[in-house]
mmCIF file of all heavy atoms in Angstrom:
data_model
loop_
_atom_site.group_PDB
_atom_site.id
_atom_site.type_symbol
_atom_site.label_atom_id
_atom_site.label_comp_id
_atom_site.label_asym_id
_atom_site.label_seq_id
_atom_site.Cartn_x
_atom_site.Cartn_y
_atom_site.Cartn_z
ATOM 1 N N THR A 101 0.333 2.049 -16.454
ATOM 2 C CA THR A 101 0.990 2.856 -15.435
ATOM 3 C C THR A 101 1.759 1.971 -14.468
ATOM 4 O O THR A 101 1.998 0.799 -14.730
ATOM 5 C CB THR A 101 -0.036 3.752 -14.701
ATOM 6 O OG1 THR A 101 0.662 4.701 -13.903
ATOM 7 C CG2 THR A 101 -1.014 2.948 -13.870
ATOM 8 N N ARG A 102 2.150 2.517 -13.339
ATOM 9 C CA ARG A 102 2.881 1.779 -12.292
ATOM 10 C C ARG A 102 2.048 1.741 -11.020
ATOM 11 O O ARG A 102 1.407 2.717 -10.657
ATOM 12 C CB ARG A 102 4.217 2.454 -11.998
ATOM 13 C CG ARG A 102 4.948 1.869 -10.783
ATOM 14 C CD ARG A 102 6.333 2.432 -10.605
ATOM 15 N NE ARG A 102 7.191 1.819 -11.603
ATOM 16 C CZ ARG A 102 8.493 2.055 -11.717
ATOM 17 N NH1 ARG A 102 9.088 2.893 -10.900
ATOM 18 N NH2 ARG A 102 9.200 1.458 -12.656
ATOM 19 N N LEU A 103 2.093 0.606 -10.347
ATOM 20 C CA LEU A 103 1.430 0.424 -9.056
ATOM 21 C C LEU A 103 2.440 -0.170 -8.080
ATOM 22 O O LEU A 103 3.198 -1.080 -8.428
ATOM 23 C CB LEU A 103 0.233 -0.522 -9.194
ATOM 24 C CG LEU A 103 -0.533 -0.851 -7.913
ATOM 25 C CD1 LEU A 103 -2.020 -1.019 -8.214
ATOM 26 C CD2 LEU A 103 -0.004 -2.079 -7.203
ATOM 27 N N VAL A 104 2.434 0.358 -6.867
ATOM 28 C CA VAL A 104 3.262 -0.156 -5.781
ATOM 29 C C VAL A 104 2.354 -0.287 -4.568
ATOM 30 O O VAL A 104 1.572 0.619 -4.276
ATOM 31 C CB VAL A 104 4.431 0.819 -5.468
ATOM 32 C CG1 VAL A 104 5.213 0.369 -4.248
ATOM 33 C CG2 VAL A 104 5.344 0.964 -6.681
ATOM 34 N N SER A 105 2.437 -1.428 -3.873
ATOM 35 C CA SER A 105 1.572 -1.603 -2.701
ATOM 36 C C SER A 105 2.276 -2.407 -1.622
ATOM 37 O O SER A 105 3.171 -3.197 -1.906
ATOM 38 C CB SER A 105 0.269 -2.309 -3.092
ATOM 39 O OG SER A 105 0.523 -3.641 -3.493
ATOM 40 N N HIS A 106 1.847 -2.149 -0.385
ATOM 41 C CA HIS A 106 2.253 -3.034 0.710
ATOM 42 C C HIS A 106 1.090 -3.216 1.659
ATOM 43 O O HIS A 106 0.240 -2.354 1.822
ATOM 44 C CB HIS A 106 3.562 -2.639 1.388
ATOM 45 C CG HIS A 106 3.731 -1.231 1.830
ATOM 46 N ND1 HIS A 106 3.642 -0.856 3.138
ATOM 47 C CD2 HIS A 106 4.057 -0.120 1.134
ATOM 48 C CE1 HIS A 106 3.909 0.438 3.250
ATOM 49 N NE2 HIS A 106 4.154 0.896 2.041
ATOM 50 N N PHE A 107 1.074 -4.397 2.282
ATOM 51 C CA PHE A 107 -0.106 -4.910 2.955
ATOM 52 C C PHE A 107 0.290 -5.705 4.192
ATOM 53 O O PHE A 107 1.315 -6.384 4.205
ATOM 54 C CB PHE A 107 -0.828 -5.826 1.959
ATOM 55 C CG PHE A 107 -1.819 -6.788 2.550
ATOM 56 C CD1 PHE A 107 -3.119 -6.407 2.773
ATOM 57 C CD2 PHE A 107 -1.442 -8.095 2.854
ATOM 58 C CE1 PHE A 107 -4.047 -7.308 3.299
ATOM 59 C CE2 PHE A 107 -2.359 -8.994 3.379
ATOM 60 C CZ PHE A 107 -3.663 -8.601 3.596
ATOM 61 N N ARG A 108 -0.524 -5.602 5.227
ATOM 62 C CA ARG A 108 -0.408 -6.450 6.425
ATOM 63 C C ARG A 108 -1.823 -6.736 6.900
ATOM 64 O O ARG A 108 -2.639 -5.823 7.007
ATOM 65 C CB ARG A 108 0.375 -5.741 7.523
ATOM 66 C CG ARG A 108 0.393 -6.521 8.839
ATOM 67 C CD ARG A 108 1.077 -5.736 9.953
ATOM 68 N NE ARG A 108 0.913 -6.391 11.208
ATOM 69 C CZ ARG A 108 1.670 -7.394 11.658
ATOM 70 N NH1 ARG A 108 2.653 -7.848 10.934
ATOM 71 N NH2 ARG A 108 1.439 -7.936 12.836
ATOM 72 N N ASP A 109 -2.110 -8.012 7.211
ATOM 73 C CA ASP A 109 -3.435 -8.317 7.748
ATOM 74 C C ASP A 109 -3.340 -8.652 9.238
ATOM 75 O O ASP A 109 -2.248 -8.725 9.804
ATOM 76 C CB ASP A 109 -4.149 -9.405 6.942
ATOM 77 C CG ASP A 109 -3.605 -10.806 7.153
ATOM 78 O OD1 ASP A 109 -2.782 -11.032 8.057
ATOM 79 O OD2 ASP A 109 -4.020 -11.695 6.386
ATOM 80 N N VAL A 110 -4.500 -8.832 9.882
ATOM 81 C CA VAL A 110 -4.536 -9.049 11.331
ATOM 82 C C VAL A 110 -3.863 -10.352 11.746
ATOM 83 O O VAL A 110 -3.499 -10.520 12.900
ATOM 84 C CB VAL A 110 -5.984 -9.004 11.881
ATOM 85 C CG1 VAL A 110 -6.559 -7.606 11.766
ATOM 86 C CG2 VAL A 110 -6.870 -10.019 11.198
ATOM 87 N N GLU A 111 -3.684 -11.259 10.805
ATOM 88 C CA GLU A 111 -3.023 -12.529 11.120
ATOM 89 C C GLU A 111 -1.525 -12.472 10.860
ATOM 90 O O GLU A 111 -0.826 -13.468 11.001
ATOM 91 C CB GLU A 111 -3.674 -13.651 10.320
ATOM 92 C CG GLU A 111 -5.124 -13.864 10.740
ATOM 93 C CD GLU A 111 -5.856 -14.865 9.870
ATOM 94 O OE1 GLU A 111 -5.237 -15.458 8.968
ATOM 95 O OE2 GLU A 111 -7.054 -15.034 10.107
ATOM 96 N N GLY A 112 -1.014 -11.308 10.473
ATOM 97 C CA GLY A 112 0.418 -11.126 10.276
ATOM 98 C C GLY A 112 0.922 -11.445 8.884
ATOM 99 O O GLY A 112 2.131 -11.440 8.645
ATOM 100 N N VAL A 113 0.030 -11.711 7.933
ATOM 101 C CA VAL A 113 0.451 -11.923 6.551
ATOM 102 C C VAL A 113 0.868 -10.571 5.985
ATOM 103 O O VAL A 113 0.129 -9.594 6.112
ATOM 104 C CB VAL A 113 -0.683 -12.542 5.703
ATOM 105 C CG1 VAL A 113 -0.287 -12.613 4.239
ATOM 106 C CG2 VAL A 113 -1.060 -13.901 6.244
#
Side-chain angles (χ1 to χ4, degrees):
T101 191
R102 172 173 285 182
L103 178 146
V104 174
S105 67
H106 50 104
F107 162 86
R108 174 185 172 83
D109 74 10
V110 293
E111 295 174 3
V113 174

